Amino acid sequence: MRGLYNALWLVALPFICLRLLLRSRKQPAYRQRMAERFGFYSRAALAHRASSQQPLIWLHAVSVGEFLAALPLIEHLLARGDCRLLITTTTPTGSAQVQAKLGARVQHVYAPYDLPIIVKRFLKQYQPRLLLVMETELWPNILRACRQRNLATVLVNGRMSVRSARGYRRLGSLTRSMLADVSQALVQYNADGKRLVDLGLPQERLQVCGSVKFDIAISESLRVETQTLRNQWPHPLVWVAASTHPGEEQQLVDAHKQVRQQVPGALLVLVPRHPERSAEVLALCQNMAVVTRSSKSAVTAATDVLLVDTLGELMLFYGAADIAFVGGSLVAHGGHNLVEPAVWGKPVLSGPHVFNFATMAEEMTAAQALTTVADANALAQVIIDWQAQPEAAQAQGNRGLQFAEANRGALQRVLMALAPYLPNTL
């Protein structure tokens, strides 16, 4: 199976590169630093070897969501002062977030493609002492190469949806051998752990820690910024539709038109998951007054939609809105992080497709902290109802905040589990 897997990688690699080039027509970052994906790095990217002898921890977070979930852990590791961090991502948006939030405090490159010769080159260049993998980014050759080098690998904030487990199960022995190479799996929920064990993870290497997404902190400066922003908007109702995907934005625009019929002057803050799609999303907002965030134009009472075509500001808009809809859920994408608006005490809405966050969604629903809608009509009706009954919206927002607070503590459990692998014992 491993030989077949590697052969498929070799066959697919030219098409993967072609896809990156095609995507780069809309987002040039996809054709930049492509050599890093093959294990070739600039002198600047390797400068750490001359600047410090501290052990290097490699943390892989595929994109924005995984990186933001890892940020509290990263800050803790940096505060220790006894190690260096190399952060890898797969997407340019993830890369941009690493550079924007951490800058020169960490090393950052794109993750190597999962072929033995590329992985070997990467490990030889960087020589990490520990690999931390966020959520579900499990790659057979990376894990095998780390094990061959006696390099511990820890899955952090691990999750395994029913759909993902079904896909891994098709790989049979390759999945079992891959999970046998994992040193420790720190997972979010019992259900995630059970699926991993069923797939081949040794039971003794499993620990349920909860989700570190609950340990998100809102700074006082951010609270002030959100209040200032909300005060600038003269609209009677502001709702945010966050992390949206193709096929979803049209439904959200249709829902907003219905909302405005009952709540004149309502504002939709529309935040596509991938900002490079902003022109495509803008075209959907026909006969509506739209302001793009990047234009820095004023949002006035006449504005129908604020289209957020920038990165890294989602928490700001969650805080400034009255109601939050979490996208990737009206289409079969699997949903996104439901906790981020909940920690602001905002009433949270979602579509039915939340298989990537199934347990979290179930628990929030049971706590009456999440309302699920089937389509645009249902979404519009809930927003209209909440505007007419603000005490009901506020009550759900309060339950969401209580739910988030009750589930804090995963980060501390993760840090305790990582203690044997950190520099004083490396």
Side-chain angles (χ1 to χ4, degrees), residues 157-352:
N157 211 44
R159 58 185 175 91
M160 180 60 64
S161 69
V162 172
R163 177 178 289 195
S164 295
R166 191 180 302 124
Y168 277 114
R169 191 169 289 111
R170 293 192 187 103
L171 299 177
S173 62
L174 181 61
T175 294
R176 290 192 295 274
S177 65
M178 176 184 71
L179 291 173
D181 290 335
V182 174
S183 306
Q184 190 80 12
L186 311 178
V187 303
Q188 298 181 25
Y189 299 104
N190 288 320
D192 299 303
K194 184 179 186 305
R195 292 183 194 113
L196 283 167
V197 171
D198 289 344
L199 289 169
L201 178 76
Q203 178 72 49
E204 65 274 11
R205 300 183 194 173
L206 174 70
Q207 184 172 337
V208 179
C209 295
S211 174
V212 298
K213 293 178 187 281
F214 288 105
D215 290 289
I216 188 171
I218 300 174
S219 67
E220 186 58 33
S221 62
L222 181 58
R223 292 185 185 277
V224 171
E225 188 178 358
T226 59
Q227 189 59 56
T228 301
L229 183 63
R230 185 63 180 93
N231 290 340
Q232 293 172 357
W233 294 339
H235 304 76
L237 170 68
V238 177
W239 68 286
V240 59
S243 300
T244 63
H245 289 263
E248 193 167 41
E249 287 98 358
Q250 184 63 67
Q251 298 182 65
L252 295 166
V253 170
D254 291 344
H256 187 52
K257 290 177 179 177
Q258 295 182 48
V259 169
R260 285 180 63 85
Q261 289 177 359
Q262 300 298 319
V263 188
L267 175 69
L268 166 61
V269 180
L270 187 53
V271 190
R273 181 68 172 179
H274 301 289
E276 66 271 19
R277 294 184 52 250
S278 58
E280 171 190 336
V281 177
L282 183 61
L284 301 175
C285 303
Q286 297 180 4
N287 302 317
M288 304 183 82
V290 183
V291 169
T292 60
R293 177 66 170 173
S294 62
S295 72
K296 299 183 180 179
S297 300
V299 175
T300 68
T303 304
D304 300 323
V305 178
L306 172 60
L307 177 58
V308 180
D309 54 352
T310 55
L311 277 171
E313 296 188 293
L314 182 55
M315 285 298 286
L316 171 67
F317 292 111
Y318 274 142
D322 303 308
I323 297 170
F325 170 84
V326 181
S329 58
L330 282 176
V331 292
H333 185 83
H336 288 289
N337 188 353
L338 299 163
V339 175
E340 289 175 336
V343 298
W344 281 105
K346 306 297 179 177
V348 183
L349 290 155
S350 173

Side-chain angles (χ1 to χ4, degrees), residues 6-7 63 212 266 271 289 295 342 375 379-380 385 393:
N6 291 337
S63 193
V212 298
V271 190
S295 72
D375 53 30
L379 172 60
D385 290 345

